[in-house]
Amino acid sequence: MSIPCTLIPGDGIGPDITDATVRILEAAGAPFAWDRQLAGMAAVHACHNPMPDATLDSIKRTRLALKGPLETPVGEGFRSVNVALRKTFDLYANVRPAQVILPGGRFEKVDIVLVRENTEGLYAGLEHYIKIGEDEKAAAESIALITRLGSERVIRYAFEYAVAHGRKKVTLVHKANILKYSQGLFRSIGQGVAKEYEGRVAYDERIVDACAMQLVIKPEQFDVIVTTNLFGDILSDLVSGLVGGLGLAPGANIGKHAAIFEAVHGTAPDIAGQGIANPSALTLAACLMLEHVGEAAVGQRIRAAVVTTLREAKSVTRDLGGSATTGQFADAVIAKLRA
Ligand code: NAD
């Protein structure tokens, strides 16, 4: 039985890492029937629209997508397609697991799952300029929207994730000492949800600035972290840096009606078109997708093959100190799957 899945190769290094990932998935017998679609700059070039209807219709139908990174113009230009996809499909939980894969780094035991609220906060898109006198852009305002519904569902997701994955603790990260209303609401909802899980999952809290410092000094103390949109965006890149960088960090965007899986990194314009990008993060995201569709065993096999290939360090890409191309890395993983 094949599982329909929308495949968006994306921009920059996206097509290279997507090809490598699809080859690895097919070699492992992952049961996906791909529906290839465009988004981002690739779609602007093809049909002058960064988020074509055909792509949205495909995800509505499959409710599942594997997505390469998409380019977002800085400042002017179209709004982030990534943010738009999360809002369109109400993908409220961004789940980013970070585990040490390569020994010999600064930390040996980091194993953190960061759950970021994905639809509200400062990314709600509620922004405007304020005119003062003749100056149309004398000031600008961005509203950090926090709702009870949005907070409760993502915090509950973090606790349910902890229960399902045998995790011990959820840490809620906030800035309620300064943002007493918005962050205070998120925090108080967290305290309420935590009570329901007492005895099963421990709960604690950190102020975001202190949390950033503690993550750098003693990351082993964290297990599952749940936080609002902007803090989650920043802290999840920090956490991926603790475990070997963006090239190894997968992410899942989960909603009630759809889920989109991707690498945490972007389009890597500095190495695009050279065939040297590391596809591991997208391949590990595909492993999360396999778990999501009930094919966890296939995902574990692929993950083990990726981890072994990375640890052997014979066929790794330049970001990890090797000289393999994206394709050669994929070949090495496939050889492990067939061994
Ligand atoms: P980036 O993640 O693309 O690159 C940061 C650095 O990491 C670069 O030096 C790059 O070469 C390196 N890198 C990233 N992924 C790599 C990989 N797989 N293998 C080897 N090296 C890798 O971040 P950026 O430069 O800030 O962003 C570039 C573009 O990507 C922007 O348009 C941004 O909006 C977009 N972006 C998209 C997503 C997404 O689609 N989810 C996420 C982040 C950034």
Side-chain angles (χ1 to χ4, degrees):
M1 262 230 327
S2 68
I3 301 170
C5 180
T6 306
L7 182 68
I8 303 172
D11 301 318
I13 59 171
D16 286 349
I17 60 174
T18 307
D19 279 355
T21 298
V22 167
R23 283 208 291 125
I24 292 168
L25 287 167
E26 284 174 358
F32 296 116
W34 303 113
D35 181 14
R36 284 179 186 263
Q37 297 291 341
L38 295 176
M41 270 323 206
V44 170
H45 292 139
C47 59
H48 310 290
N49 178 359
M51 204 163 72
D53 287 346
T55 304
L56 297 178
D57 289 345
S58 172
I59 302 173
K60 273 180 205 148
R61 186 173 57 79
T62 62
R63 301 167 63 155
L64 193 67
L66 182 65
K67 185 184 83 54
L70 304 176
E71 184 180 331
T72 304
V74 177
E76 305 298 317
F78 60 82
R79 281 189 175 275
S80 164
V81 178
N82 293 310
V83 174
L85 283 172
R86 288 167 202 161
K87 289 186 84 176
T88 304
F89 293 102
D90 203 18
L91 307 174
Y92 63 88
N94 183 204
V95 185
R96 295 182 174 184
Q99 269 177 320
V100 176
I101 291 181
L102 296 173
R106 278 180 63 203
F107 303 105
E108 295 293 335
K109 288 195 192 132
V110 178
D111 183 3
I112 297 171
V113 179
L114 193 139
V115 180
R116 161 191 172 195
E117 201 293 315
N118 220 9
T119 57
E120 308 191 328
L122 272 167
Y123 291 42
L126 303 173
E127 289 192 297
H128 56 255
Y129 290 111
I130 299 168
K131 183 180 176 193
I132 300 177
E134 292 307 302
D135 187 351
E136 296 281 345
K137 295 182 178 175
E141 216 167 41
S142 305
I143 296 169
L145 178 73
I146 299 287
T147 68
R148 181 175 297 286
L149 185 142
S151 303
E152 188 171 331
R153 65 182 177 175
V154 75
I155 295 166
R156 195 173 292 288
Y157 182 90
F159 276 94
E160 284 299 320
Y161 183 99
V163 171
H165 293 82
R167 298 260 171 180
K168 304 266 178 293
K169 183 173 72 176
V170 171
T171 302
L172 181 140
V173 175
H174 66 86
K175 188 75 186 173
N177 50 331
I178 304 295
L179 302 169
K180 293 188 187 297
Y181 285 63
S182 54
Q183 289 289 316
L185 181 61
F186 187 76
R187 177 175 175 237
S188 73
I189 291 166
Q191 291 170 344
V193 174
K195 282 210 174 72
E196 296 174 33
Y197 291 84
E198 246 168 28
R200 289 188 290 159
V201 182
Y203 172 77
D204 65 3
E205 300 172 347
R206 294 283 190 290
I207 293 175
V208 63
D209 37 338
C211 180
M213 191 267 288
Q214 288 166 7
L215 275 168
V216 171
I217 291 191
K218 201 171 170 245
E220 300 85 355
Q221 66 186 294
F222 293 98
D223 188 347
V224 176
I225 293 176
V226 64
T227 189
T228 51
N229 210 334
L230 175 64
F231 297 157
D233 196 5
I234 297 168
L235 291 183
S236 58
D237 272 28
L238 188 161
V239 168
S240 65
L242 299 174
V243 297
L246 287 173
L248 300 176
N253 299 283
I254 309 280
K256 219 168 148 193
H257 305 295
I260 299 181
F261 296 81
E262 63 183 346
V264 169
H265 62 71
T267 59
D270 50 336
I271 57 166
Q274 299 178 35
I276 55 168
N278 181 356
S280 301
L282 190 67
T283 306
L284 294 173
C287 296
L288 300 179
M289 185 163 86
L290 282 160
E291 185 189 333
H292 179 79
V293 299
E295 295 281 346
V298 184
Q300 277 156 14
R301 268 185 65 224
I302 296 175
R303 191 185 146 78
V306 169
V307 169
T308 312
T309 308
L310 290 170
R311 287 192 179 152
E312 281 179 5
K314 285 192 217 138
S315 303
V316 293
T317 43
R318 206 176 66 182
D319 55 310
L320 297 177
S323 59
T325 63
T326 310
Q328 286 165 341
F329 177 82
D331 292 341
V333 173
I334 290 168
K336 293 272 171 300
L337 284 167
R338 293 192 171 139

